[in-house]
Amino acid sequence: MAEIFNAAIYQPLYNVLIFLYNVIPGQDFGVAIIATTIFLKLLLMPVSRKQIESQKKLQELQPKIKEIQNRYKDNKEKQTKELMAFYKENKANPLSGCLPLIVQLIFLIAIYRILINISMAGLVVDVSNLYSFVADPGKINHMFIGFIKLTEPSRGLAILAATAQYFQTKMIMKKNKKEDKSKKKRTSSKPDFSSMMSKQMLYLGPVLTLFIGFKFAAGLALYWLVSTLFMIGQQMYIAKDQKQE
């Protein structure tokens, strides 16, 4: 598994990062991280779009899902079977939203490992990880815009990343609330578990981001910040696109 991770994720990402570091004027490692993040997000955009569309579909199916849950609340086995059949019939997958998060986590781990490995090597690139067409840049400039050390925690970047995470979650919640209002009459008076989870994530996500930013290298917080800002922009674009439809 480790070999697959290294060959499929770590090494390609390592090379993209170093390649961009080499070609972008100024050789700013932070700028290279930003460029790499944008490259990754563009690459994964179809997956992210599918996730957003899947979430929207599940939101639309929510009244019927609740109806099934209430109908078979005393028979969990029957409830599960009916829900699975309902999901299959409507071509919906309740776990589809997890994939982009898992992918994001995998790349986060890869970025973390790259930063740690380069830092532990004395800010020198491991040539054995470089492809033949990627030049060895020598010692890496670990400063971002001249004063943020990317190999050390940065409270400023951590706070920015956590704030961006908060607003991104807030955007999703706001969108879901609008959709819920139009279906309120058909829904149960019982508390909506997904809404409760969303409210928890509104604060849990930023707190977790803040913890990671305070604890680990600033390069991680920078990656998370740019990634979140990209997703905010993507959500706005998709929402606008759906309105036009």
Side-chain angles (χ1 to χ4, degrees), residues 204-241:
L204 186 61
V207 168
L208 184 61
T209 303
L210 204 62
F211 171 77
I212 292 170
F214 276 23
K215 190 81 175 173
F216 299 104
L220 278 180
L222 181 61
Y223 167 79
W224 197 264
L225 171 62
V226 176
S227 182
T228 306
L229 290 174
F230 187 96
M231 285 190 285
I232 288 171
Q234 185 180 346
Q235 283 172 208
M236 290 171 69
Y237 172 78
I238 291 173
K240 187 179 177 182
D241 194 36

Side-chain angles (χ1 to χ4, degrees), residues 64-87 190:
K64 185 64 178 175
I65 291 169
K66 286 184 179 181
E67 186 184 314
I68 293 170
Q69 288 171 336
N70 290 330
R71 190 186 305 162
Y72 301 104
K73 62 183 177 182
D74 297 323
N75 189 339
K76 295 298 179 184
E77 188 178 342
K78 180 69 173 174
Q79 184 189 86
T80 303
K81 284 182 180 179
E82 289 295 322
L83 284 171
M84 289 300 105
F86 178 72
Y87 288 137
K190 292 181 180 180

Side-chain angles (χ1 to χ4, degrees), residues 6 52 95 104 119 124 142-143 172 213 219 232 234:
N6 285 332
I52 293 168
L95 300 177
Q104 173 105 332
S119 181
V124 175
H142 65 296
M143 301 298 289
I172 295 170
I232 288 171
Q234 185 180 346

Side-chain angles (χ1 to χ4, degrees), residues 19-228:
F19 174 78
L20 290 171
Y21 176 79
N22 284 334
V23 300
I24 294 173
Q27 290 200 318
D28 188 315
F29 201 47
V31 175
I33 289 173
I34 291 170
T36 303
T37 307
I38 293 170
F39 169 77
L40 282 175
K41 298 308 290 183
L42 288 171
L43 196 67
L44 297 171
M45 204 167 178
V47 178
S48 299
R49 187 181 180 99
K50 193 173 181 181
Q51 178 209 10
I52 293 168
E53 289 172 351
S54 177
Q55 285 177 337
K56 186 176 184 294
K57 188 168 187 178
L58 284 172
Q59 195 72 25
E60 290 169 353
L61 297 173
Q62 200 63 30
K64 185 64 178 175
I65 291 169
K66 286 184 179 181
E67 186 184 314
I68 293 170
Q69 288 171 336
N70 290 330
R71 190 186 305 162
Y72 301 104
K73 62 183 177 182
D74 297 323
N75 189 339
K76 295 298 179 184
E77 188 178 342
K78 180 69 173 174
Q79 184 189 86
T80 303
K81 284 182 180 179
E82 289 295 322
L83 284 171
M84 289 300 105
F86 178 72
Y87 288 137
K88 188 176 181 181
E89 182 186 340
N90 289 274
K91 296 179 181 178
N93 185 356
L95 300 177
S96 60
C98 298
L99 179 60
L101 292 175
I102 293 168
V103 171
Q104 173 105 332
L105 182 61
I106 289 170
F107 282 111
L108 185 68
I109 292 167
I111 285 280
Y112 171 72
R113 279 191 56 191
I114 290 168
L115 291 173
I116 290 299
N117 290 343
I118 289 175
S119 181
M120 288 179 68
L123 301 172
V124 175
V125 171
D126 182 1
V127 183
S128 65
N129 275 317
L130 293 180
Y131 297 144
S132 58
F133 57 86
V134 179
D136 178 9
K139 195 164 186 176
I140 293 288
N141 171 25
H142 65 296
M143 301 298 289
F144 174 48
I145 55 177
F147 63 91
I148 298 175
K149 288 185 179 180
L150 294 170
T151 52
E152 297 177 5
S154 167
R155 292 192 175 188
L157 282 177
I159 291 167
L160 285 173
T163 304
Q165 182 79 41
Y166 173 84
F167 281 109
Q168 192 219 354
T169 310
K170 192 81 172 172
M171 279 177 67
I172 295 170
M173 285 182 65
K174 191 176 179 182
K175 176 177 174 290
N176 289 346
K177 275 183 182 179
K178 283 181 180 178
E179 290 174 353
D180 284 343
K181 280 181 182 178
S182 63
K183 301 164 188 163
K184 201 171 183 181
K185 291 180 181 179
R186 291 180 289 168
T187 57
S188 169
S189 59
K190 292 181 180 180
D192 186 354
F193 180 73
S194 62
S195 296
M196 289 168 64
M197 283 296 293
S198 295
K199 285 177 183 177
Q200 288 179 0
M201 283 306 297
L202 179 63
Y203 301 104
L204 186 61
V207 168
L208 184 61
T209 303
L210 204 62
F211 171 77
I212 292 170
F214 276 23
K215 190 81 175 173
F216 299 104
L220 278 180
L222 181 61
Y223 167 79
W224 197 264
L225 171 62
V226 176
S227 182
T228 306

